[in-house]
Amino acid sequence: NGWAVDGWALPDEVLRDAPTYTPKPSELADLELLLSDAYAPLTGFLGSTDLIALRRTGRLADGTAWPVPVTLEVPRNLADQLDVSNPLRRVLVLADLEGAPIAALDTTEIYPARKTTAGVAGRVRRLGDGGHGAFRRMRRTPAEVRETLPTGRILGVIADRPLHRPQLAQIARAARTLAAHLLVLVPVDSPGPDGLAPEALVRCVLAARDRMPSSTIVALPLPHHDGDDIRDAMLRTRVAAAYGVTHLLASSESMLSGGGLRVLVPRELAYDGRDGQWRSLDDIPPRHRRLPLTTAEIEDHLDRGTILPEWHTPPAVARELARARPPRRQRGLVVFFTGLSGSGKSTMATGLADALQETGERTITLLDGDIVRRHLSAGLGFSAEDRDTNIRRIGWVAAEIGRHGGVAVCCPIAPYRDARAAARNFARNAGAGFVLVHVSTPLEECERRDRKGLYAKARAGLIKGMTGIDDPYEVPLDAELTIDTTDLSHGEAVTTVLRYLGSNGWIDPR
Ligand code: PPS
């Protein structure tokens, strides 16, 4: 059969019998770029020979310059089901987060990765119709886009943040100087640096469209590879080149020219109060000069619900942004109490929930540790793994409540940092606020209270793995608020939290 030569006449039974795996989000982003040919000349996930060459020389084994390892890791036991020597048994079906098949991997190598995972390498081929999702029609392949671009120079912009007037002015200047057509690439694989959901970012960019020279706007994933910003910037340059960009407006210092493409570092612009134009900083006398708002200033406007000033942001963009990030008082919120058993977190959480219910500002859901364990986490115990699962479930549900504008009040022990960080991340990705309250009442006091008699049992060796006794509590380093209830009344403790939420704009000040 045609298998060995071009490798891609997949018999139905092979696909049916092949194991299926959903890669993690950054790998899925890599996969999409491989499938769309944005990573050309790469056609699949890299194997060990290329990875070694890449680490040593910054080039693949055949000498092609390539910035980042594009790899796929799967659980060992899954890799064990593949047989690279048998073309009919080496296919791995790759599925999206919903489990729908999107690609077939023709595995040509399995190499050791981490303790429980293996790296799998080989060509990928698209299965199905390319999937669904918001703004899918904007996810076009380089070939499709290049076909529609005019001849001549193409100015590329990677819009990982909404475009305000300073950026729009830089773009307009560069496009005019180069007499170039504009190609805007909007990364949509994960929330951008401003924490905006991908769809919200696309809406913000589209809202600026009538302020741009004639343009083509494309949505695409641009994955991050293990904190290597410089290499990621190089990869972005390559992807831009694949889409036909000849001149790329740098969005970070670390962007370098390469792959037949020039990177332009734009001049710093300021608003000239004399005539309302944006021009080079140095051409404006200081007293007429207004610098672009910083990210923190923009966030502050959004948090408070004040409209972004028109000199800085086109009203249509300001409206989209305000919709995507409503003022804190209306935004979803997760208040996450963590602390030892008996520290007072349940009491505080209940008191907080009651107080918020009374004001009727937003809908409130109390995810109390014990209640959660009866329903959402029924059947879980107190092993490290079960506690992790418990906290992730709570974090996920809380984030969904926040996504819909409600307040979730959670109060599990949540003894591990990683799980708490995951909960914070869920909330962030859902566009909700997250306030971690560490109820830091010391163990001696919790043990003295011993409402449930658990500490006594643990000391007597009747129960194992009690947090604080023979199971660790990792003290948070990122708590927004730390409260020791040893000498506080119930009312005082709740008031402390309410004051914090009020003075930070999450609820009406009190
Ligand atoms: S965790 O670690 O966040 O998943 O724990 P959580 O869901 O909050 O459950 C804590 C409550 O379970 C009771 N309990 C234990 N706690 C800690 N360690 C052990 N081994 C244990 N076994 C049972 C305990 O009553 C906790 O309730 P609170 O309200 O915190 O006192």
Side-chain angles (χ1 to χ4, degrees):
N1 57 40
W3 250 102
V5 189
D6 63 29
W8 296 118
L10 283 174
D12 284 350
E13 320 79 77
V14 172
L15 278 184
R16 186 196 59 204
D17 298 344
T20 300
Y21 177 68
T22 296
K24 63 177 197 246
S26 64
E27 293 166 333
L28 277 173
D30 277 335
L31 175 61
E32 189 172 331
L33 293 167
L34 284 169
L35 292 171
S36 75
D37 266 345
Y39 277 176
L42 258 55
T43 55
F45 290 101
L46 297 177
S48 57
T49 320
D50 280 328
L51 292 174
I52 292 167
L54 195 61
R55 207 171 306 131
R56 291 211 187 117
T57 64
R59 289 170 182 276
L60 304 179
D62 68 0
T64 310
W66 190 262
V68 290
V70 176
T71 56
L72 177 62
E73 262 181 50
V74 303
R76 267 279 162 81
N77 54 8
L78 184 72
D80 289 344
Q81 295 175 40
L82 302 168
D83 176 2
V84 288
S85 62
N86 178 352
L88 299 178
R89 293 217 35 228
R90 67 187 191 200
V91 176
L92 177 62
V93 171
L94 301 176
D96 65 13
L97 295 171
E98 280 87 46
I102 40 178
L105 170 75
D106 182 24
T107 315
T108 44
E109 188 195 354
I110 299 172
Y111 57 91
R114 283 166 235 229
K115 215 156 132 206
T116 56
T117 63
V120 285
R123 280 173 66 177
V124 288
R125 187 187 86 161
R126 191 183 288 285
L127 296 174
D129 57 5
H132 46 80
F135 293 119
R136 194 78 214 178
R137 65 191 172 282
M138 292 178 62
R139 294 208 179 198
R140 291 182 288 148
T141 67
E144 286 163 355
V145 171
R146 282 197 313 261
E147 203 163 282
T148 66
L149 291 175
T151 49
R153 293 169 176 158
I154 303 295
L155 173 67
V157 170
I158 295 175
D160 57 1
R161 303 198 136 112
L163 301 170
H164 300 269
R165 288 195 204 273
Q167 292 85 36
L168 290 163
Q170 285 171 337
I171 292 169
R173 279 184 151 218
R176 204 177 330 114
T177 315
L178 295 167
H181 179 79
L182 175 64
L183 177 61
V184 183
L185 304 174
V186 190
V188 290
D189 50 314
S190 56
D194 296 352
L196 279 186
E199 310 80 51
L201 177 61
V202 172
R203 280 201 304 276
C204 288
V205 173
L206 290 174
R209 188 160 210 178
D210 59 354
R211 315 268 165 176
M212 294 180 210
S214 95
S215 61
T216 304
I217 304 182
V218 177
L220 79 177
L222 283 176
H224 295 281
H225 297 91
D226 280 341
D228 198 338
D229 292 348
I230 295 181
R231 284 164 182 278
D232 273 341
M234 286 161 70
L235 186 66
R236 287 170 169 224
T237 312
R238 271 202 95 104
V239 170
Y243 273 92
V245 168
T246 59
H247 296 70
L248 183 65
L249 208 60
S251 50
S252 74
E253 301 279 304
S254 48
M255 301 199 101
L256 299 167
S257 296
L261 170 157
R262 287 197 47 198
V263 171
L264 313 170
V265 180
R267 282 262 194 95
E268 225 187 308
L269 303 185
Y271 179 80
D272 190 335
R274 291 171 302 183
D275 61 356
Q277 295 295 311
W278 287 82
R279 50 173 60 91
S280 288
L281 209 63
D282 315 324
D283 297 344
I284 313 173
R287 66 200 158 95
H288 294 296
R289 187 196 286 165
R290 275 195 229 165
L291 295 181
L293 299 180
T294 61
T295 309
E297 286 167 335
I298 293 173
E299 256 182 30
D300 196 51
H301 270 290
L302 296 169
D303 287 352
R304 288 168 196 272
T306 53
I307 304 274
L308 285 165
E310 207 173 327
W311 65 269
H312 186 270
T313 306
V317 178
R319 264 197 306 279
E320 271 318 326
L321 257 175
R323 223 151 60 103
R325 289 192 75 72
R328 280 189 170 178
R329 240 174 318 111
Q330 287 156 25
R331 202 178 298 166
L333 174 65
V334 177
V335 185
F336 197 106
F337 291 89
T338 169
L340 295 172
S341 170
S343 59
K345 53 191 168 23
S346 287
T347 322
M348 278 169 78
T350 313
L352 174 67
D354 288 348
L356 294 178
Q357 302 268 26
E358 286 176 18
T359 71
E361 282 173 46
R362 278 175 285 192
T363 57
I364 317 292
T365 301
L366 178 64
L367 294 166
D368 181 82
D370 284 342
I371 296 172
V372 166
R373 279 181 171 275
R374 264 202 301 281
H375 299 284
L376 185 61
S377 291
L380 294 182
F382 290 88
S383 65
E385 203 186 352
D386 279 5
R387 287 184 202 251
D388 262 340
T389 306
N390 181 38
I391 299 310
R392 275 165 211 269
R393 283 185 191 170
I394 294 171
W396 189 83
V397 171
E400 287 306 309
I401 291 165
R403 188 194 300 282
H404 297 283
V407 179
V409 181
C410 323
C411 52
I413 296 179
Y416 307 137
R417 260 180 219 133
D418 283 355
R420 290 189 303 254
R424 187 186 284 277
N425 218 19
F426 283 140
R428 179 181 185 271
N429 289 352
F434 188 89
V435 173
L436 185 67
V437 183
H438 176 208
V439 186
S440 63
T441 315
L443 178 65
E444 305 77 69
E445 173 64 15
C446 299
E447 204 170 346
R448 194 186 59 73
R449 296 177 185 171
D450 205 6
R451 271 185 310 126
K452 300 177 184 168
L454 284 174
Y455 287 108
K457 285 208 175 78
R459 291 288 184 200
L462 297 174
I463 56 170
K464 291 261 167 289
M466 179 72 191
T467 305
I469 305 294
D470 54 353
D471 208 64
Y473 179 82
E474 300 170 3
V475 172
L477 306 171
D478 59 343
E480 273 72 17
L481 200 57
T482 301
I483 303 177
D484 177 346
T485 63
T486 308
D487 299 314
L488 285 185
S489 73
H490 167 57
E492 286 167 332
V494 174
T495 304
T496 312
V497 182
L498 286 169
R499 282 227 187 87
Y500 174 88
L501 297 178
S503 55
N504 284 278
W506 291 111
I507 57 176
D508 283 334
R510 52 199 73 216

